[in-house]
Amino acid sequence: MKHPVFPAALLFLFVLTPVSGDGRATPKFVDISKQSGVSFVSDASATSQKYLPEAMVGGVAMFDYDGDRRLDIFFVNGAKLADPMATGQASDKSDPRYWNRLYRNNGDGTFIDVTKKAGVQGHSYGMGAAVGDYNNDGHADLFVTNVGQNILYRNNGDGTFTDATKEAGVAGSGWSASACFVDYDRDGHLDLVVARYLDWDFSQNIWCGERRPGYRAYCHPDKFKPIAHLLYRNNGDGSFADVTRKAGFAGSPGKGLGVAVSDFNADGWPDIAIANDSFPQQLFRNGQDGIFQEVGLSTGLAFDDSGRTFAGMGIDFADFDNDGWPDIFINALANQKYALFRNQKGTFEYASGSTNVGQISALHSGWGTKFVDVDNDGWKDLFVAQGHVMDNISLTQSWVKYLEPLALMRNKQGKFEDISAGSGEAFKVPLAARGAAFGDLDNNGYVDIAINCNNGLAVILRNEGDIGNHWIVINTVGSVSNRDGIGAEVSLLSESGLRQYATVSTGSSYLSSSDKRTHFGLGADKRIKLLQIKWPSGVVQRLEDVAVDQVLTVREPATQIPVIKQTR
């Protein structure tokens, strides 16, 4: 389909579309950061003390904050750190260079900084962002995690936000990393899960690495104790109850960096997966009674194929092989291989070797990530934002690089092929990439990517599309269920017989939040035979003969309805 018309400043040189080894056109991305007006620079305030948070920041969120049906972009930033940190001194975010930044989508390929007007500059040393309409008023709210107290911004619906943290009771404490909104009890109100990283603060900083110039290193997480993740239940009145202990999370501490949600055992209730750094990976099974059980070990998710822990950072929880069962991907550091776990009807098989993911990733380090169908062929590909955590890693491991190019692995019906080099010049630039968010910024049917880079310029990648494949984007609007429709299970059958499945969520990746709308590529198929949505309320909605190449808003009926044909 045709792209929207862009101003002269955004016109790009025509390039021939490369093809992969099987003759298919390779998806092409262009870095439009400069032309777009997004000038965000992450500032981790690196010090000689090697405070661990310096290496970890930061996240990014893609969401429509002003309700104009265009995705806006929010970046999380660090804060000024004293060198060394004085006892009891908090990080300082007063200088605008350390502000978190919100950019409004102008609809013409450009963005404008609206941070100050919106009131989302932040406080403390920032980490990540989560998005969800927690009060069901139709406006997307924003949760920001920090080293210190977190922030809940209530969207006022007029382009501004109000800090509602205190009244909501979700400030938390310690070092929070990724967070995700999820209606775990299916009562129509979004709850909130927050992964915490380590039992660490600035007063606990220690010397790691050799005691000679240039060799001091960021400490390995083994030097610090795990800490319980946080779970907040939405009371439905603008406040949350901390149910961390009651729900069973307190008894299973971790070293969490990434969070993703789906129903792994097909019982109709959302489960929570957490990527842990050099600690067993965790899967919290929803007991349907408000209590979770951690089942990472018993389901085969806790370790790699050698029974070892690995540096879990970014995570996604989606059905990559189109069998109806959500799989889990967790990336890691160089020399460990990224971990792909195939869901075998409620248990997991380590599938990095059989899918080629292990061979492709053996010497790489990953952060922000997602299963996303970048070429709209009906199979979810795998994107990873890369870069090692140690800025001086080459001193001790000469074969490992701190700065790495982005990675894109094409899904060939369940196996992956590295197509990074042919997907655009942006995939050849070494970065210290961290958080990554995904969504269709220009509503042309092809998913774009926003990346937060540690101590560097943000990267906005526009998916050039035009491969000729069809698509559909489903925008769920709940009525009995939460308004976002988060947790709804969407499946479709297209005319070639291809079946696809997805769970509505803004979570996954690393410290980041993506478009809540659900995107499906359809290949050459020009018609969807059946689209089904199973809402968190239990209502099942079916639409037949659905047109393709559209953003389709589907509203939840109050009661069960028969199959209907979409009118065009």
Side-chain angles (χ1 to χ4, degrees):
M1 74 178 283
K2 292 182 178 180
H3 296 306
V5 176
F6 285 83
L10 289 181
L11 292 177
F12 308 112
L13 293 175
F14 174 77
V15 292
L16 293 174
T17 302
V19 295
S20 63
D22 58 5
R24 292 188 295 167
T26 301
K28 192 76 172 180
F29 287 83
V30 173
D31 183 348
I32 64 165
S33 310
K34 185 176 180 180
Q35 301 96 322
S36 71
V38 174
S39 56
F40 176 76
V41 180
S42 170
D43 196 326
S45 187
T47 71
S48 66
Q49 304 304 303
K50 293 285 187 176
Y51 295 120
L52 194 50
E54 299 168 11
M56 313 296 283
V57 67
V60 55
M62 262 193 213
F63 69 116
D64 179 11
Y65 88 95
D66 55 358
D68 65 356
R69 300 184 182 180
R70 294 190 291 261
L71 292 177
D72 312 297
I73 310 176
F74 176 79
F75 293 94
V76 182
N77 206 351
K80 179 64 176 176
L81 299 177
D83 188 0
M85 181 71 71
T87 303
Q89 179 180 345
S91 52
D92 180 6
K93 212 176 181 76
S94 59
D95 188 328
R97 67 184 285 187
Y98 297 109
W99 287 0
N100 304 328
R101 293 284 174 175
L102 176 62
Y103 291 88
R104 181 181 182 273
N105 190 334
N106 294 322
D108 59 0
T110 67
F111 294 78
I112 185 171
D113 188 336
V114 294
T115 305
K116 191 171 183 179
K117 178 182 177 181
V120 291
Q121 298 95 319
H123 64 64
S124 304
Y125 199 96
M127 278 287 128
V131 175
D133 183 4
Y134 79 93
N135 56 358
N136 288 331
D137 66 353
H139 306 298
D141 306 300
L142 178 65
F143 183 76
V144 179
T145 63
N146 295 303
V147 179
Q149 292 193 334
N150 303 316
I151 310 169
L152 177 61
Y153 290 111
R154 184 179 64 240
N155 192 329
N156 298 320
D158 59 0
T160 68
F161 291 81
T162 295
D163 185 341
T165 312
K166 185 176 181 180
E167 66 185 71
V170 292
S173 62
W175 183 345
S176 297
S178 293
C180 182
F181 283 97
V182 53
D183 185 6
Y184 77 85
D185 53 3
R186 292 172 41 184
D187 67 350
H189 302 286
L190 288 178
D191 312 300
L192 181 63
V193 58
V194 182
R196 291 198 292 179
Y197 184 33
L198 300 171
D199 183 2
W200 182 97
D201 62 35
F202 292 103
S203 67
Q204 297 182 51
N205 201 53
I206 59 177
W207 187 293
C208 293
E210 299 181 42
R211 288 186 178 270
R212 55 175 169 150
Y215 278 77
R216 184 170 184 175
Y218 294 110
C219 291
H220 193 281
D222 285 352
K223 300 290 184 180
F224 306 99
K225 295 179 181 179
I227 191 169
H229 311 302
L230 302 174
L231 184 64
Y232 296 99
R233 181 182 182 275
N234 192 329
N235 294 322
D237 59 0
S239 69
F240 291 76
D242 186 341
V243 295
T244 302
R245 184 169 299 280
K246 180 180 179 181
F249 275 68
S252 298
K255 299 183 179 182
L257 289 176
V259 178
V261 175
S262 193
D263 177 11
F264 85 96
N265 56 357
D267 66 356
W269 293 77
D271 308 295
I272 300 169
I274 295 182
N276 285 308
D277 187 0
S278 304
F279 195 81
Q281 309 305 312
Q282 292 176 311
L283 178 60
F284 290 88
R285 183 177 63 204
N286 192 328
Q288 308 178 25
D289 56 359
I291 299 174
F292 288 79
Q293 181 182 4
E294 203 287 296
V295 294
L297 180 61
S298 63
T299 58
L301 186 72
F303 304 102
D304 68 11
D305 59 342
S306 298
R308 296 174 297 191
T309 61
F310 54 92
M313 295 180 287
I315 185 172
D316 198 17
F317 201 163
D319 180 18
F320 82 90
D321 53 3
N322 291 336
D323 67 352
W325 294 84
D327 313 290
I328 294 178
F329 173 78
I330 305 174
N331 52 39
L333 286 180
N335 304 316
Q336 294 180 336
K337 299 182 296 187
Y338 299 162
L340 178 56
F341 295 93
R342 190 194 307 271
N343 191 332
Q344 303 281 54
K345 299 184 178 180
T347 60
F348 291 90
E349 169 196 37
Y350 187 88
S352 296
S354 62
T355 59
N356 299 325
V357 167
Q359 299 90 311
I360 293 170
S361 65
L363 293 179
H364 298 290
S365 304
W367 303 82
T369 189
K370 192 171 179 62
F371 287 114
V372 56
D373 188 353
V374 296
D375 55 1
N376 285 345
D377 68 348
W379 293 84
K380 297 176 183 66
D381 310 301
L382 190 52
F383 173 91
V384 185
Q386 299 188 136
H388 203 276
V389 66
M390 305 288 250
D391 55 358
N392 57 359
I393 186 63
S394 60
L395 293 177
T396 55
Q397 299 182 41
S398 60
W399 62 94
V400 177
K401 305 300 181 184
Y402 172 60
L403 302 179
E404 292 191 61
L406 305 167
L408 183 59
M409 292 175 260
R410 168 181 265 162
N411 188 340
K412 299 173 66 176
Q413 299 189 18
K415 292 192 174 183
F416 290 87
E417 168 195 16
D418 186 354
I419 59 170
S420 309
S423 294
E425 291 300 313
F427 282 81
K428 301 176 183 178
V429 179
L431 302 168
R434 294 297 185 261
F438 305 81
D440 187 355
L441 291 171
D442 48 12
N443 290 323
N444 72 342
Y446 286 85
V447 176
D448 309 299
I449 306 171
I451 304 157
N452 194 340
C453 298
N454 189 269
N455 281 320
L457 286 162
V459 177
I460 311 298
L461 295 183
R462 182 179 184 275
N463 189 335
E464 291 289 85
D466 278 347
I467 293 175
N469 290 330
H470 298 286
W471 55 274
I472 192 167
V473 172
I474 309 300
N475 179 35
T476 50
V477 179
S479 56
V480 180
S481 303
N482 66 85
R483 188 177 174 88
D484 284 336
I486 286 177
E489 297 175 2
V490 184
S491 60
L492 63 80
L493 171 65
S494 52
E495 62 184 2
S496 67
L498 180 66
R499 296 180 184 272
Q500 297 183 63
Y501 309 83
T503 299
V504 179
S505 178
T506 61
S508 78
S509 191
Y510 169 77
L511 303 179
S512 298
S513 183
S514 297
D515 185 9
K516 85 172 189 72
R517 300 176 301 178
T518 305
H519 168 270
F520 294 98
L522 299 168
D525 288 355
K526 299 179 180 179
R527 187 66 48 196
I528 296 171
K529 292 182 178 179
L530 177 64
L531 173 69
Q532 176 176 291
I533 301 175
K534 183 178 179 181
W535 297 88
S537 65
V539 169
V540 178
Q541 188 173 6
R542 299 181 179 89
L543 290 82
E544 289 184 343
D545 193 27
V546 179
V548 302
D549 299 337
Q550 65 165 323
V551 178
L552 177 64
T553 295
V554 182
R555 300 181 183 277
E556 178 189 20
T559 58
Q560 191 70 49
I561 60 172
V563 177
I564 62 172
K565 288 191 175 183
Q566 184 196 13
T567 56
R568 297 191 297 276

